[in-house]
């Protein structure tokens, strides 16, 4: 799932939602206490067998439901669990969920994009998990396996509203062969932004090589925010949204834009690439061809782009040629929470419907879906980062890069604010990076950015400058 600008969903989605509202959320006349012997639960996700996210739908239908029903039977409870599939555009799915929840209907256990959580909370659609299902939530064994930073994906204003599914992390990739030619170390780990620029200056001596690729501008879309602007912002100690206010022309925003100016104004990056419609894909191809020295990207790049077998820009020598390093703060200790290194992450979550007739049992189902056994079954042998560190240790043992992300990057990561206006703020941020890349001063680009943000978020009172 991804955060896209909102648009009206089709009539079909609205009709389906109303139909579901009438049937979901238990739908049984059985007393709805913890001791009910007959329970009815539903699970909703934007996946469907044979269509969108098919493997996830199969896991729910063929593994989760039968296993959960069996476990309930052993306790003397007859459970009827139904999966309500969807296979639509993310925004349509989101609109459907909002209609369900507004009308006090919908499934008991619901999969959502983490970026929607705050918006749904502010609309009154979601409640903290412990408010819905009681004390058992806090004592769940899984919390101790999910790093605090990763729990942030399903949290809003310091309360837990959902359990994260999987997540990802941003790093700096570098080409070890180019580094060797430029006299740079094979085990590079910059400790400041200046060290990134210094490495770029050495790579600049290599003909036909773009030293640094850090996504900029609007053509790259959300990839500019997630792979460039936001990691730099948290590296300068700033956050795009904090304590109820959006970042305007703050010092961290100016520092971030100044770094863009140094990369693209200093001839260390290719400004034209940032403006191309397929610029990000082109940057992948150029890195794979040994034409880019340093690239800021997510673990998706390792798994799906330069993967020697299945990648879209295959690198047969990936495991020996591609290095990866943590993204440093501007200087040691300058990142958010006083960190030396930073990252940004995204991902999906599952939550409880506050209107469930069987909230206690719905929590049992939700927590069962996030048990180590269930998470491993969902992976079905695939190496992918989950929210659970115990599972990651086991399933990623053979992949040093993904292990690096789970062990080093996730403990220092951050998330986008899960609010409705974020996509507009993100576009303004992308426009600011474009201005800095084109030669505008950081102060000027930041001032223009702040003016736009004030327009989106209800005036200067909601912006920190």
């Amino acid at each position: 799932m991804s955060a896209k600008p909102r648009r009206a969903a089709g009539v079909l989605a609205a009709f389906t939602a109303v139909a579901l509202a009438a049937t979901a959320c238990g739908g049984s006349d059985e007393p709805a206490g913890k001791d009910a012997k007959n329970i009815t639960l539903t699970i909703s996700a934007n996946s469907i067998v044979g269509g969108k996210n098919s493997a996830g739908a199969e896991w729910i239908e063929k593994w989760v439901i039968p296993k959960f029903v069996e476990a309930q039977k052993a306790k003397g409870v007859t459970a009827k669990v139904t999966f309500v599939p969807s296979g639509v555009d993310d925004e349509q799915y989101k609109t459907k969920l909002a209609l369900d929840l507004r009308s006090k209907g919908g499934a008991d256990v619901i999969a959502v994009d983490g970026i929607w959580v705050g918006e749904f909370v502010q609309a009154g659609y979601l409640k903290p998990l412990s408010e819905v299902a009681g004390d058992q939530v806090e004592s769940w064994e899984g919390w101790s396996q999910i790093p605090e930073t990763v729990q942030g994906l399903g949290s809003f204003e310091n309360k837990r509203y959902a359990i994260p599914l999987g997540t990802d992390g941003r790093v700096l990739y570098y080409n070890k062969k180019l580094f060797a030619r430029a006299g740079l170390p094979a085990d590079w780990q910059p400790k400041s932004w200046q060290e990134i620029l210094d490495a770029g200056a050495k790579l600049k001596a290599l003909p036909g090589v773009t030293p640094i690729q850090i996504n900029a501008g609007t053509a790259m879309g959300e990839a500019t925010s997630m792979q460039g602007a936001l990691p730099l912002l948290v590296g300068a100690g700033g956050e795009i949204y904090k304590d109820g206010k959006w970042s305007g022309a703050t010092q961290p925003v100016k520092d971030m834009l100044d770094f863009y100016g140094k990369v693209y104004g200093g001839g260390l990056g290719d400004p034209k690439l940032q403006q191309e419609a397929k610029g990000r894909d082109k940057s992948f191809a150029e890195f794979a061809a040994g034409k880019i020295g340093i690239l800021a990207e997510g673990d998706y790049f390792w798994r799906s782009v330069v993967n020697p077998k299945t990648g879209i820009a295959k690198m047969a020598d990936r495991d020996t040629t591609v290095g990866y390093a943590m993204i440093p703060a501007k200087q040691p200790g300058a990142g958010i929470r006083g960190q030396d290194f930073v990252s940004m992450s995204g991902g999906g979550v599952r939550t409880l419907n506050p209107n469930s007739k069987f909230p206690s049992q719905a929590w049992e189902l939700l927590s069962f879906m996030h048990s180590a056994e269930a998470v491993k079954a969902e992976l079905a042998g695939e190496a992918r980062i989950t929210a659970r560190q115990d599972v990651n240790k086991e399933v990623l043992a053979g992949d040093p890069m993904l292990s690096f992300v789970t062990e080093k990057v996730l403990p220092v990561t951050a998330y986008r604010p899960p609010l409705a206006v974020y996509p507009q703020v993100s576009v303004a941020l992308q426009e600011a990076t474009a201005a800095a890349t084109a030669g505008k001063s950081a102060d000027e680009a930041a001032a223009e950015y702040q003016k736009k943000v004030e327009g989106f978020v209800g005036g200067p009172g909601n912006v920190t400058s």
Side-chain angles (χ1 to χ4, degrees), residues 140-279:
W140 179 50
E141 59 79 30
W143 297 125
S144 65
Q145 295 295 344
I146 303 174
E148 288 261 327
T149 48
V150 178
Q151 290 183 32
L153 184 56
S155 303
F156 184 64
E157 291 174 347
N158 298 318
K159 290 180 179 171
R160 290 176 181 141
Y161 286 88
I163 306 180
L165 301 171
T167 189
D168 57 9
R170 291 350 181 234
V171 299
L172 295 175
Y173 291 97
Y174 60 96
N175 186 307
K176 291 182 184 179
K177 286 179 180 170
L178 297 179
F179 265 49
R181 282 170 52 201
L184 289 161
D187 59 349
W188 184 63
Q189 176 53 71
K191 293 184 172 65
S192 67
W193 292 359
Q194 189 55 50
E195 288 186 16
I196 300 172
L197 297 170
D198 292 346
K202 287 191 171 180
L203 289 160
K204 196 179 175 184
L206 304 179
V209 171
T210 300
I212 300 169
Q213 169 57 32
I214 180 152
N215 297 343
T218 52
M220 297 268 188
E222 191 60 15
T224 287
S225 302
M226 281 298 271
Q227 267 76 279
L230 293 176
L232 289 168
L233 184 60
V234 293
E239 288 178 75
I240 193 76
Y241 179 83
K242 194 182 179 191
D243 301 329
K245 290 193 173 187
W246 294 88
S247 261
T250 58
Q251 193 54 49
V253 166
K254 291 176 186 175
D255 288 346
M256 174 265 292
L257 293 170
D258 182 59
F259 183 80
Y260 272 101
K262 284 176 176 161
V263 170
Y264 290 103
L268 301 177
D270 177 359
K272 281 189 183 153
L273 187 63
Q274 315 316 308
Q275 296 163 15
E276 293 185 20
K278 298 265 183 197

Side-chain angles (χ1 to χ4, degrees), residues 83-150:
F83 175 50
V84 182
S86 289
V88 294
D89 174 87
D90 289 346
E91 290 297 320
Q92 268 185 297
Y93 176 69
K94 180 185 178 186
T95 303
K96 188 183 101 166
L97 292 182
L99 284 165
D100 285 353
L101 292 164
R102 193 184 304 154
S103 59
K104 308 280 188 235
D108 300 272
V109 173
I110 303 168
V112 300
D113 192 331
I115 193 96
W116 304 341
V117 171
E119 188 182 340
F120 277 24
V121 170
Q122 289 185 329
Y125 299 155
L126 296 180
K127 287 184 180 162
L129 293 172
S130 53
E131 230 175 88
V132 180
D135 297 343
Q136 58 179 338
V137 170
E138 296 307 318
S139 60
W140 179 50
E141 59 79 30
W143 297 125
S144 65
Q145 295 295 344
I146 303 174
E148 288 261 327
T149 48
V150 178

